Amino acid sequence: MSREKDRRRSSPPKGANRTAPSDRQRSSNRPASQRAGSSPEAPLPPVKNRTALGNVDPNKSKNHTRRSARPAQVEPSGNKRQRPNAGTTSKDRKFSPGNPKEPISSESARIQHIEHMRAVDRKRKLYKALLLWVVVLLIMIVAAAAVLFVTDYVAAKPNCSFITTGSIEHTIGVTALIVRDEKTFASTSDGTIVASALEGSRVAKDQKIAMVIPDNLKSITADMSDMQGQIVDRQRELLKQGRGTGAATLYQEADNNILPIINMVRSDSVTGNLANLVSYSSSIQVLMDTRDSALQSVDFQDEQLTTMIAQKTNLENQLSTGAVSFQAELPGIISYKLDGLEDTLTPTSITDMTPDQYKSYVQQSKGTLSSDLSIKAGEKALRICQNAEQFLVTVVAGCSVTDFPTNSTVAVRIPSEGIKLDDLTVQRSIQTSDGVFLVLRTTSQVERLLDLRTVSMEIIRKETPGLRVPAAALLNADYTKGYAEIMYNSSGYARKMTVSVVDHDREYAIIQPVEGFSVPDQSTIIITNPNTISEGEKVEQ
């Protein structure tokens, strides 16, 4: 009996854990008042994310499993209470950096977490700022390189050219009144004039030159005009095929005569001067009509073209039977453009013309003559210039008769027509208060100036030939002493050379080698814009 009692005293109650509780466990099972006085250590703080009894991760350690399997202690009040650290191992606990054995409270952990996140955020912002500066720096480098490349690309490059021979002209601009010996012809009926001889062409005596078509035959006139256009188009097609011996030569000659006028049209268009467009158009039309007329004598050996020409001849015969025809009473140059001064301004009238009369005629003149195809009976329809000479009357300001003596030769340039006249002879030279009154005679370019009554021209006072270079190509020019420097291309590098300046104007200069030297010459490659390069630099184009 005594042994049984001892065994019962030593054995734990039924259902209790047989493992002896530790001091900390016994302390946790005491009331709060007893624990505060009996245990010198403060209780552990509650651990977040406690797991309920029995809901323990099977992957936990064995000790943790056994510890979690213990039943909850019952406090004297009868309420179940889990252990503060139930479901939490030593690995899950956080400890203070200063004392590894002392766990960190939840408030301290939260503060450390916030400080950590702030540190991470500062590092992230610093990284972004550095990255932004790097990107901006790269963009600035790329932009600077692009600017340098574009600047170098668009920068003016040295322009090189061979020195050529030419001349410099010193001119005086004047306005000339053109006078010819010509006869006019009036129409005897109303209608539309149709030319049989081209404007500006030379006609023989008794040659059929024009017809006046009545209004009832206008349809035939339109058919004949259309047929003429078809003939020209067919001739051009055959010319492209290489047919028609001599046709290409006629086209080339016409193109060579038209090209200077086209260049003058472009030049006036750039400067905004449209006053001479009518004259340009008339001159071009005359040249084209002359070319088309010359093509009629070329045998293209084409049946279609031959048929067209026959149809046109038939239409002309129909018109001639019902129209009034004009025949040339004298040989000369024909024109259908009139201004009403043909019978007033004659070679006889200029022998006693005064400077005031000259000014009056210039003011009355329209400059370029015009034609009206519709005429009435009694109106003048055409004119014929009887000889191959014309007179130019003008006043040269700032000059005297000693500058233009009688019977001397004068050269002029007419920019609007792109021509130069070298054989003008001074017929009259009279001193006036405005300058010198001149009457000049010439036999050149009568056909070219046939549709003009007044013209702007430049009298050439001095002409200097030689090696001509642009005035912009001269460096350190001293026109008083007659010296300047040029930049030339020597084996791919820019070199300077001193030259002698013979003459110059606003655009060009005539140069020659300095005494004792043989260069420059026509084989010298000059740099026309020397300000774009320095001496010794490589010439790159």
Side-chain angles (χ1 to χ4, degrees), residues 144-448:
V147 170
L148 291 176
F149 174 78
V150 172
T151 303
D152 182 70
Y153 181 78
V154 301
K157 301 294 189 300
N159 296 327
C160 299
S161 66
F162 286 98
I163 296 179
T164 59
T165 58
S167 62
I168 288 181
E169 298 173 349
H170 297 274
T171 61
I172 302 175
V174 297
T175 300
L177 179 70
I178 302 177
V179 179
R180 311 174 189 88
D181 185 8
E182 49 197 2
K183 184 176 181 180
T184 58
F185 297 86
S187 174
T188 59
S189 63
D190 298 344
T192 302
I193 187 169
V194 175
S196 300
L198 295 177
E199 170 78 21
S201 62
R202 295 182 179 272
V203 296
K205 184 178 180 181
D206 298 331
Q207 178 182 340
K208 184 179 178 179
I209 54 179
M211 296 182 294
V212 177
I213 309 299
D215 294 339
N216 59 352
L217 297 179
K218 285 186 177 181
S219 59
I220 299 178
T221 304
D223 293 340
M224 189 174 67
S225 178
D226 293 341
M227 185 59 62
Q228 178 63 30
Q230 295 178 18
I231 291 174
V232 173
D233 292 340
R234 183 57 182 171
Q235 289 174 341
R236 292 175 180 174
E237 292 177 1
L238 296 174
L239 183 63
K240 292 179 180 179
Q241 299 175 8
R243 301 171 64 177
T245 304
T249 303
L250 294 175
Y251 266 92
Q252 186 63 41
E253 291 177 356
D255 292 344
N256 293 338
N257 293 329
I258 293 175
L259 182 59
I261 303 177
I262 297 297
N263 292 335
M264 296 305 302
V265 172
R266 293 171 179 170
S267 177
D268 287 357
S269 299
V270 171
T271 58
N273 181 17
L274 306 180
N276 298 319
L277 289 182
V278 177
S279 175
Y280 296 149
S281 176
S282 178
S283 299
I284 293 174
Q285 187 62 46
V286 169
L287 294 173
M288 294 177 62
D289 292 342
T290 303
R291 178 199 62 193
D292 295 339
S293 177
L295 288 174
Q296 301 297 329
S297 61
V298 177
D299 185 8
F300 287 91
Q301 298 180 356
D302 181 72
E303 295 181 0
Q304 182 179 355
L305 180 61
T306 303
T307 303
M308 290 180 180
I309 294 175
Q311 293 178 358
K312 179 187 175 185
T313 303
N314 185 27
L315 292 173
E316 289 177 348
N317 294 333
Q318 294 180 27
L319 288 176
S320 62
T321 57
V324 178
S325 300
F326 282 96
Q327 289 184 340
E329 298 180 1
L330 54 116
I333 305 172
I334 188 171
S335 176
Y336 304 95
K337 299 178 180 180
L338 303 94
D339 63 350
L341 296 176
E342 290 81 12
D343 296 333
T344 303
L345 295 176
T346 63
T348 304
S349 65
I350 61 176
T351 57
D352 55 358
M353 181 183 294
T354 64
D356 293 336
Q357 291 176 333
Y358 154 77
K359 293 179 182 179
S360 176
Y361 287 130
V362 170
Q363 292 176 356
Q364 296 177 23
S365 174
K366 298 179 181 179
T368 303
L369 307 183
S370 59
S371 60
D372 188 1
L373 299 180
S374 298
I375 60 174
K376 296 181 179 181
E379 290 184 353
K380 295 178 181 179
L382 54 89
R383 59 193 170 100
I384 295 179
C385 185
Q386 299 182 35
N387 47 47
E389 69 175 6
Q390 57 189 349
F391 299 87
L392 282 73
V393 184
T394 186
V395 173
V396 184
C399 295
S400 63
V401 293
T402 57
D403 298 322
F404 300 94
T406 305
N407 296 327
S408 62
T409 303
V410 177
V412 301
R413 184 178 299 278
I414 304 178
S416 63
E417 299 296 321
I419 58 177
K420 179 182 178 182
L421 307 177
D422 297 318
D423 60 344
L424 278 75
T425 305
V426 178
Q427 297 290 309
R428 294 180 62 192
S429 179
I430 303 174
Q431 188 69 45
T432 66
S433 58
D434 297 330
V436 56
F437 176 75
L438 297 178
V439 176
L440 308 175
R441 175 183 174 275
T442 180
T443 58
S444 302
Q445 302 291 342
V446 178
E447 299 92 335
R448 191 70 171 270

